């Protein structure tokens, strides 16, 4: 059968259409033998290969053959059954990846936003269990500083004066600190700090407005607010706790395409999009 020809499989009543080349990714697998009529387990009926196995799980096997990567839904739980199916089809590299269940399972991610007001300034501290999320937030949040003649959070935006971006304070890889509002400097000027959070283009000085935008950004990024508590009542300190299920990094294999290769490959981790 030519590598460009289409193959139709009926697995547990679920119909799949793919190329012969896809099924031949691993020459020693039973799916590759099937194309050469070397496996009696697969019956050819009316031009379709009939397989009496689980059709829903076979969809993950087909995805693996097409991408050479295993990346499962956050609510997936049938790791042992899928591993058993991979072994049935002779896809031992896939079975080996599935045996690393601890790497494939999604993880619960926790993030806390601490917010407090002191006179005309608002202080923020964001702590997260995942350092990559904090890094991503640090790229979204920019603090600008400038001077103004007004006194208060509702003073006009100094459009004619340049604003200077300030680096965020990073006590560790898992947290960041920044503030907004105004403070009186030794030179007799009011120093202002504005906060911008991408993709919103506004520069906000009011701490309550910044807090609202920050919480909305987290909710849109897949986080779920699970608790709100007062930390220091006299300073109006509040703590907002969020959680989300973070998809695990995908596991990818590199197939040796040399003639006579068994397709046994070395697994490596690769980055995938954030789970939401």
């Amino acid at each position: 059968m030519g590598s460009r020809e289409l193959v139709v499989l009926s697995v547990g009543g679920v119909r799949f259409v793919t190329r012969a080349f896809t099924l031949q990714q691993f020459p020693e697998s039973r799916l590759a033998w099937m194309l050469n009529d070397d496996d009696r387990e697969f019956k050819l009926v009316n031009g379709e290969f009939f397989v009496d196995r689980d059709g829903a799980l076979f969809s993950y096997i087909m995805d693996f053959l097409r991408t050479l990567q295993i990346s499962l839904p956050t609510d997936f739980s049938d790791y042992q059954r899928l591993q058993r199916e991979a072994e049935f089809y002779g896809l031992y590299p896939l079975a080996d990846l599935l045996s690393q269940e601890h790497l494939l399972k999604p993880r619960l991610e926790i993030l806390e936003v601490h917010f407090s007001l002191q006179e005309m300034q608002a202080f923020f501290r964001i702590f997260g269990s995942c350092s990559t999320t904090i890094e991503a937030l640090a790229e979204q949040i920019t603090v600008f500083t400038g001077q103004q003649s007004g006194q208060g959070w509702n003073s006009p935006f100094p459009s004619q004066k340049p604003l200077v971006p300030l680096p965020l304070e990073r006590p560790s890889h898992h947290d960041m600190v920044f503030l907004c509002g105004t403070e009186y400097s030794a030179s007799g000027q009011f120093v202002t700090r504005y906060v911008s959070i991408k993709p919103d283009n506004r520069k906000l000085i009011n701490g309550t407005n910044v807090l609202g935008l920050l919480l909305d950004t987290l909710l849109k990024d897949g986080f779920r607010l699970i608790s709100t508590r007062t930390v220091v009542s006299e300073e109006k300190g509040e703590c907002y706790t969020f959680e989300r299920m973070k998809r695990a990094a995908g596991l990818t294999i590199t197939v040796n395409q040399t003639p006579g290769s068994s397709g046994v490959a070395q697994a490596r981790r690769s980055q995938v999009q954030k789970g939401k």
Side-chain angles (χ1 to χ4, degrees), residues 109-241:
E109 181 180 356
I110 302 295
L111 187 141
E112 287 189 349
V113 176
H114 294 258
F115 170 71
S116 63
L117 293 172
Q118 295 181 10
E119 298 180 351
M120 292 185 295
Q121 292 189 90
F123 294 80
F124 294 84
R125 181 165 188 168
I126 304 175
F127 175 84
S129 60
C130 178
S131 61
T132 55
T133 296
I134 298 300
E135 292 290 342
L137 277 174
E139 293 180 1
Q140 289 180 263
I141 299 173
T142 306
V143 177
F144 298 89
T145 185
Q147 292 184 346
Q148 66 179 41
S149 57
Q151 301 182 17
W153 284 15
N154 295 320
S155 299
F157 181 81
S159 58
Q160 296 181 352
K161 296 182 180 181
L163 295 177
V164 180
L166 294 176
L168 300 179
E169 183 180 345
R170 296 293 306 278
S172 74
H173 292 295
H174 288 272
D175 59 345
M176 70 174 75
V177 178
F178 62 92
L179 58 87
C180 66
T182 62
E183 62 179 344
Y184 194 68
S185 67
S187 61
Q189 296 288 329
F190 274 89
V191 178
T192 64
R193 288 184 176 86
Y194 300 85
V195 174
S196 176
I197 305 177
K198 298 177 182 177
D200 194 291
N201 294 321
R202 293 174 296 171
K203 294 179 176 64
L204 303 176
I205 189 174
N206 186 297
T208 303
N209 293 341
V210 173
L211 176 64
L213 179 58
L214 176 60
L215 300 186
D216 185 61
T217 300
L218 294 174
L219 292 173
K220 289 180 179 179
D221 200 28
F223 281 97
R224 182 173 66 93
L225 180 63
I226 59 174
S227 70
T228 303
R229 67 182 188 275
T230 300
V231 181
V232 184
S233 58
E234 60 270 19
E235 295 182 359
K236 299 182 181 179
E238 299 173 347
C239 177
Y240 300 83
T241 303

Side-chain angles (χ1 to χ4, degrees), residues 68 100 104 116 228:
L68 299 182
Q100 304 178 63
L104 293 171
S116 63
T228 303

Side-chain angles (χ1 to χ4, degrees), residues 4-195:
R4 294 186 179 181
E5 294 185 38
L6 295 181
V7 180
V8 180
L9 301 94
S10 178
V11 183
V14 183
R15 194 168 181 265
F16 297 88
V17 181
T18 186
R19 295 186 305 161
F21 173 79
T22 301
L23 300 176
Q24 293 170 331
Q25 289 277 26
F26 299 88
E28 294 186 1
S29 71
R30 298 182 73 175
L31 292 171
W33 296 347
M34 174 190 73
L35 299 181
N36 298 321
D37 298 324
D38 291 337
D39 196 317
R40 295 181 180 180
E41 186 71 30
F42 302 90
K43 305 295 183 181
L44 188 61
V45 180
N46 297 325
E48 298 184 9
F49 287 98
F50 174 78
V51 191
D52 190 17
R53 303 292 295 190
D54 190 304
L57 292 178
F58 189 71
S59 65
Y60 298 114
I61 289 176
M62 284 302 308
D63 182 64
F64 170 76
L65 291 174
R66 289 166 177 152
T67 65
L68 299 182
Q69 183 180 56
I70 182 69
S71 182
L72 301 171
T74 55
D75 59 350
F76 186 83
S77 60
D78 290 336
Y79 292 93
Q80 292 183 351
R81 290 182 60 215
L82 185 54
Q83 182 178 354
R84 187 165 62 243
E85 292 299 294
E87 292 172 348
F88 169 81
Y89 292 108
L91 295 170
Y92 297 107
L94 174 58
D96 290 341
L97 294 185
L98 290 167
S99 68
Q100 304 178 63
E101 183 178 337
H102 64 289
L103 297 179
L104 293 171
K105 280 187 174 181
R107 298 179 181 179
L108 182 64
E109 181 180 356
I110 302 295
L111 187 141
E112 287 189 349
V113 176
H114 294 258
F115 170 71
S116 63
L117 293 172
Q118 295 181 10
E119 298 180 351
M120 292 185 295
Q121 292 189 90
F123 294 80
F124 294 84
R125 181 165 188 168
I126 304 175
F127 175 84
S129 60
C130 178
S131 61
T132 55
T133 296
I134 298 300
E135 292 290 342
L137 277 174
E139 293 180 1
Q140 289 180 263
I141 299 173
T142 306
V143 177
F144 298 89
T145 185
Q147 292 184 346
Q148 66 179 41
S149 57
Q151 301 182 17
W153 284 15
N154 295 320
S155 299
F157 181 81
S159 58
Q160 296 181 352
K161 296 182 180 181
L163 295 177
V164 180
L166 294 176
L168 300 179
E169 183 180 345
R170 296 293 306 278
S172 74
H173 292 295
H174 288 272
D175 59 345
M176 70 174 75
V177 178
F178 62 92
L179 58 87
C180 66
T182 62
E183 62 179 344
Y184 194 68
S185 67
S187 61
Q189 296 288 329
F190 274 89
V191 178
T192 64
R193 288 184 176 86
Y194 300 85
V195 174

